[in-house]
Amino acid sequence: MAHRTTALRSALTALLLLTQVPGQDPTTPLAAVPFPQVVVRDAFFAPRRATNTRVTLAHALDQLEQTGTLANFDRAAAGAKQGYQGFVFQDSDAYKALEAVAYALADQRNPALERRLDAVIHRVAAAQQPDGYLNTSYTVEARGARFHNLRDDHELYCAGHLFEAAVAHFRATGKRTLLDVACRYADLLVRTFGPGDGQHRGYCGHPEVELALVALWRVTHDDNYLDLAQHFVTSRGQGYFATEHQTPKDRYDGSYWLDHQPVLAMRRSQGHAVRAAYLMCGAVDIAAAKQDRALLDAVRTVYRNTVGKNQFVTGGIGPSAHNEGFTTDYDLPTESAYQESCASIALVMWAHRLLLVTRDPTYADAMERALYNAIPAGVQLDGTKFFYVNPLASRGGHHRKGWFGCACCPPNLARTFAAVGGYAYAHSDAALYVNLYIQGEVQVPLERGRIALAVDTDYPWHGDVQLRVLAAPAEPFALVLRVPGWSDGATVAVGAAPPTPAAPGYTSLRRVWQRGDTVHLRLPMPVQRLGADPRAEALRGRVAFQRGPIVYCAEQVDQAVPLDTLVAAPGAAFTPEHRKDWLGGVTVLRGTLPSLAVPSWRPGALYRPEATAQTAEVTLVPYAVWDNRSAGPMSVWLPTAAATPRLLGPEHGAEIEISYRNTNCFPEAIRDGLEPKRSGDTPRHNCHFWDHRGGTEWVQYTWPAPQRLAGCRIYWFDDTGHGACRLPKGARLLYRSGDSWQPVALEGAAAVPVAVDRWCEVRFAPVATTALRLEVEQQEGWSSGVLEWRLVDADD
């Protein structure tokens, strides 16, 4: 009887102490538990972090040497005026790598790595000018007066990454060698920029220095740094870059640089995705430090638009390759998705800040989605290759690279993996918040006493989590557990008490904890079939599959039938299966789907027998590890019905020639069969003549044998608002006749139609030719482009 009474008392106590905590705005933000106080021993992040420290950091430093990035500091120190290598923002790649190394040293001191870091810091310090200025591009290339081109030259952006690296290095090692360099430069910025008489009123075209100045303030407690960060955030959006570049205000669109309106007036995501998210990070920091509720509300409004209408299912942001950023709400393409690795990281930084300020666990949901999907996909499992762009579908030609000319993503990914433990926990004076379930330990020294936990779990592959108290204050203290938004049917139990249901959100357990006390959180992980908001046109009629926080994809290497024949018909079910021998140890999904070949329909046959559906065994793997085996197609979103037959016109037997192309132009895209939705679509593969502005350009189809043609359909590219391509002034169609080019005889029109957001159809007198050319006359000062160009057979 005594045993039953004790058990009943324990159950009642657990029920009394279990409290659902909705998102709220307390007066005091939470403090993140720094990553050095978090031990990561899980099966997901720990192996990645070990590879990051053992392989990626050395690889990054080697690449910085080979590309001349570090040698730029030597040239600046020596007073050289030639020989600079790389982009104007090259310094920032070095600083992000130094930050990543510092994080790794905080996790585990490595004398050899630390010596290498110290040597690089010595080279950086030697390049600093007597007044504190530090930018190797300006110093070596003599680019003119400092800070005269804030929009494009990234001086303040590079300074920001220097400040972040310096703070990380100081916290990791206690050394001031890089911190002193950063403070001297920051002091120069304080003297140079601001609202005072004679001070520079501008701000950087690429936000980053704002959040970095706040980080520097937190270490140094120098309020000048915080005030300058506030100035940069609150003065932004005045159209400064129009003045700087003498652009008439009626022709100026500053959205790419987030210079189109003040932050307080912003309501949606616009412009370059990384710049936007970094700006929002700085704004959250300022709102928290200055208790600026209006600024915080504005940032939260933009965030709701970003995550509610513009976040990929894999957690990243930014659909467009052309501006590396946002276009219109619900523009969520698959194969052409840009989803830059840096943008996914920036979103996590933004969500984490809002989580700390508001205690709203939905921010942790967005953070978790990116950390377990888009971000780890950015690095090959061996730690030596990286994605800059992360599409949600591939035809088999998209692969990671060992480095990039613009190498912002590799060191950014490295620093994120090194510091991932810092996203897992937060605390107040009276509570420890558990936001990510990573096996390992955490300890937090508080005024009332130390709190320490051991976490035992196989998350994200399994939803059982046990937390064991290693140390706790002698007075009541709350453990606040996040129940993810994807969870349904979660339960939590303290000790031997029976489990209690826990809805998505925060669940608070407040009591006097004793060493050895346990909490068991159970998060069921059924396979979920995800559909998208019907306003996301690219995802209509498609589904994705998720289990726990993990989003899955199909890779051709695992299928016995072509990937584009698979149909995820309603009712299709998948079963999880853990494979220790696959991709570092992952849980895959196994199931059976119909396979139906997509017919290619050529003109000439009005009716044709349909292909017979087959059944295929299908395996889905986590998106986080795709492209680590044999090359081949991949897709996150699978169709729910057989695809419409593709009509193959005469263009599919032709070679494509073009008058001019840069590295971002893909002429083959004009016949890829992708149906444009609007002229402003910015697929990853696109045909355009940028950066040739004005003048005449052309693209043509050429055949080995004559073709009889009688018309075509053109969908013009125009990225007004986020790029430099506009509709052409005019266009002509020319066909090869012997050794000359002749204009076609248009029927029913005086000229080739040029219009946005629709197919421009042309009929002409039939011609027999081995080449057809589309010639465009570009507007003065602008480039042009073509999304699709389809031909009409004269016999059709």
Side-chain angles (χ1 to χ4, degrees):
M1 177 66 72
H3 175 76
R4 290 178 60 192
T5 302
T6 301
L8 180 60
R9 186 181 296 117
S10 297
L12 291 173
T13 301
L15 286 171
L16 290 171
L17 295 179
L18 184 64
T19 307
Q20 294 296 136
V21 183
Q24 54 185 307
D25 290 308
T27 56
T28 304
L30 296 174
V33 176
F35 66 90
Q37 295 168 215
V38 180
V39 177
V40 176
R41 294 200 188 99
D42 71 332
F44 189 90
F45 288 116
R48 295 275 198 143
R49 296 176 77 246
T51 300
N52 188 58
T53 301
R54 187 180 68 255
V55 177
T56 305
L57 296 181
H59 175 79
L61 293 174
D62 289 345
Q63 290 293 324
L64 292 171
E65 292 283 11
Q66 294 171 20
T67 58
T69 302
L70 296 182
N72 287 336
F73 291 97
D74 302 334
R75 297 183 185 98
K81 295 304 176 185
Q82 61 183 1
Y84 181 85
Q85 293 179 263
F87 292 97
V88 68
F89 46 78
Q90 204 75 13
D91 291 358
S92 67
D93 294 342
Y95 298 145
K96 278 180 279 189
L98 297 185
E99 183 182 358
V101 173
Y103 288 150
L105 292 177
D107 189 49
Q108 184 175 5
R109 298 301 280 266
N110 179 322
L113 186 60
E114 189 165 355
R115 284 193 298 271
R116 190 170 183 184
L117 175 62
D118 288 342
V120 175
I121 290 174
H122 177 76
R123 296 162 73 181
V124 170
Q128 189 166 38
Q129 303 302 296
D131 64 352
Y133 184 79
L134 180 52
N135 185 283
T136 67
S137 176
Y138 265 74
T139 301
V140 176
E141 292 191 293
R143 299 177 64 88
R146 299 170 181 175
F147 310 122
H148 79 281
N149 186 1
L150 291 174
R151 189 191 73 181
D152 301 325
D153 282 356
H154 290 69
E155 289 164 278
L156 298 180
Y157 170 79
C158 290
H161 278 299
L162 168 64
F163 301 163
E164 286 199 275
V167 169
H169 180 244
F170 175 69
R171 285 178 167 166
T173 67
K175 299 176 183 178
R176 293 189 59 95
T177 47
L178 193 57
L179 185 65
D180 288 342
V181 172
C183 289
R184 283 194 292 271
Y185 196 2
D187 291 341
L188 173 64
L189 298 185
V190 167
R191 296 193 300 271
T192 304
F193 292 89
D197 293 340
Q199 288 190 298
H200 201 310
R201 302 301 174 90
Y203 33 82
C204 190
H206 195 312
E208 211 283 336
V209 71
E210 300 84 357
L211 68 91
L213 281 166
V214 176
L216 197 60
W217 164 71
R218 290 187 178 126
V219 169
T220 64
H221 308 292
D222 187 331
D223 288 343
N224 288 316
Y225 301 157
L226 180 64
D227 292 342
L228 180 58
Q230 182 182 30
H231 167 74
F232 284 144
V233 168
T234 57
S235 64
R236 194 175 198 91
Q238 305 299 326
Y240 172 79
F241 301 136
T243 302
E244 183 183 72
H245 290 264
Q246 300 178 352
T247 303
K249 287 293 181 74
D250 61 350
R251 294 186 57 193
Y252 177 65
D253 178 6
S255 59
Y256 175 82
W257 304 281
L258 287 304
D259 190 35
H260 57 298
Q261 59 186 167
V263 175
L264 285 174
M266 292 181 183
R267 294 294 179 266
R268 58 179 295 268
S269 298
Q270 288 182 267
H272 187 275
V274 180
R275 299 175 197 230
Y278 278 175
L279 175 62
M280 295 299 124
C281 288
V284 176
D285 289 342
I286 294 301
K290 297 290 187 176
Q291 298 184 359
D292 188 336
R293 182 56 187 259
L295 182 59
L296 179 62
D297 287 345
V299 173
R300 295 182 76 180
T301 296
V302 176
Y303 178 90
R304 284 192 293 271
N305 170 265
T306 304
V307 172
K309 299 179 181 180
N310 294 282
Q311 186 182 29
F312 291 104
V313 70
T314 45
I317 53 175
S320 168
H322 202 274
N323 68 340
E324 296 189 311
F326 300 103
T327 53
T328 58
D329 289 344
Y330 302 105
D331 182 13
L332 296 168
T334 57
E335 185 177 354
S336 66
Y338 198 70
Q339 194 181 208
E340 181 184 341
S341 292
C342 284
S344 300
I345 293 167
L347 180 72
V348 168
M349 295 167 60
W350 181 10
H352 186 231
R353 283 166 164 79
L354 285 171
L355 172 67
L356 297 177
V357 172
T358 67
R359 308 189 191 195
D360 183 341
T362 60
Y363 295 118
D365 289 342
M367 187 173 74
E368 180 183 69
R369 182 174 291 276
L371 282 171
Y372 280 98
N373 297 288
I375 290 174
V379 186
Q380 192 159 289
L381 289 175
D382 68 4
T384 64
K385 294 183 179 180
F386 313 89
F387 277 146
Y388 193 111
V389 176
N390 294 268
L392 277 74
S394 169
R395 300 187 189 187
H398 187 74
H399 306 293
R400 298 177 185 86
K401 296 181 180 180
W403 207 249
F404 303 90
C406 174
C408 53
C409 293
N412 210 355
L413 288 160
R415 70 170 182 161
T416 302
F417 276 112
V420 71
Y423 294 111
Y425 302 93
H427 71 89
S428 66
D429 290 338
L432 176 66
Y433 288 70
V434 184
N435 294 311
L436 299 176
Y437 296 104
I438 301 176
Q439 179 162 301
E441 296 177 5
V442 60
Q443 57 176 325
V444 185
L446 301 169
E447 289 186 6
R448 63 178 63 195
R450 183 170 68 101
I451 178 72
L453 295 178
V455 180
D456 185 18
T457 181
D458 196 24
Y459 196 93
W461 312 124
H462 199 278
D464 281 355
V465 182
Q466 180 173 284
L467 301 98
R468 179 165 48 88
V469 177
L470 303 178
E475 53 192 278
F477 189 85
L479 291 179
V480 184
L481 309 183
R482 168 180 158 262
V483 178
W486 51 260
S487 177
D488 184 21
T491 60
V492 63
V494 178
T500 302
Y506 275 139
T507 292
S508 180
L509 305 167
R510 188 174 185 275
R511 60 183 287 177
V512 177
W513 297 95
Q514 304 290 332
R515 178 181 175 86
D517 284 349
T518 60
V519 177
H520 185 200
L521 176 67
R522 183 176 178 275
L523 302 170
M525 287 186 173
V527 177
Q528 296 177 322
R529 180 185 174 105
L530 304 180
D533 188 303
R535 288 170 288 187
E537 295 179 23
L539 306 181
R540 289 178 186 167
R542 293 180 173 271
V543 293
F545 293 90
Q546 176 175 328
R547 180 176 178 270
I550 302 296
V551 174
Y552 285 80
C553 68
E555 284 194 277
Q556 185 61 68
V557 66
D558 298 315
Q559 322 308 333
V561 298
L563 191 62
D564 62 1
T565 69
L566 294 177
V567 176
F574 284 91
T575 302
E577 178 183 311
H578 194 72
R579 297 293 301 270
K580 292 184 178 180
D581 56 329
W582 274 29
L583 300 164
V586 297
T587 295
V588 302
L589 303 182
R590 302 292 302 274
T592 302
L593 293 180
S595 170
L596 187 62
V598 180
S600 296
W601 205 277
R602 291 189 180 274
L606 182 58
Y607 304 107
R608 182 175 297 175
E610 281 195 346
T612 302
Q614 301 176 346
T615 298
E617 296 294 325
V618 174
T619 299
L620 307 183
V621 299
Y623 178 81
V625 295
W626 85 275
D627 193 44
N628 273 281
R629 298 169 294 168
S630 300
M634 177 277 297
S635 185
V636 170
W637 292 90
L638 300 178
T640 58
T644 302
R646 279 183 66 186
L647 183 64
L648 299 182
E651 66 272 11
H652 287 277
E655 292 185 4
I656 300 176
E657 299 178 59
I658 192 168
S659 59
Y660 170 76
R661 62 176 296 186
N662 69 5
T663 56
N664 193 35
C665 171
F666 299 90
E668 188 68 29
I670 62 174
R671 61 176 182 191
D672 60 12
L674 299 178
E675 192 73 15
K677 301 299 182 184
R678 60 190 66 84
S679 292
D681 285 355
T682 50
R684 186 168 57 88
H685 288 170
N686 195 2
C687 180
H688 54 74
F689 304 108
W690 186 83
D691 53 348
H692 276 194
R693 300 172 186 262
T696 300
E697 303 289 348
W698 53 263
V699 60
Q700 73 184 47
Y701 290 124
T702 303
W703 297 268
Q707 305 289 309
R708 280 180 45 80
L709 308 173
C712 67
R713 306 172 73 218
I714 307 164
Y715 210 109
W716 298 103
F717 177 54
D718 184 313
D719 59 358
T720 297
H722 52 84
C725 287
R726 300 293 183 270
L727 291 179
K729 289 173 59 177
R732 295 198 303 163
L733 288 166
L734 307 170
Y735 71 97
R736 180 180 288 159
S737 177
D739 294 330
S740 65
W741 290 93
Q742 301 295 326
V744 300
L746 299 179
E747 296 181 344
V752 174
V754 175
V756 296
D757 298 338
R758 68 176 178 86
W759 284 102
C760 294
E761 301 197 20
V762 182
R763 299 293 298 194
F764 50 79
V767 297
T769 184
T770 57
L772 187 70
R773 175 177 291 183
L774 175 60
E775 184 181 273
V776 301
E777 182 185 358
Q778 301 188 131
Q779 295 186 49
E780 186 67 29
W782 299 101
S783 302
S784 299
V786 181
L787 290 174
E788 290 285 321
W789 181 27
R790 301 176 185 174
L791 306 184
V792 176
D793 193 308
D795 298 322
D796 182 13

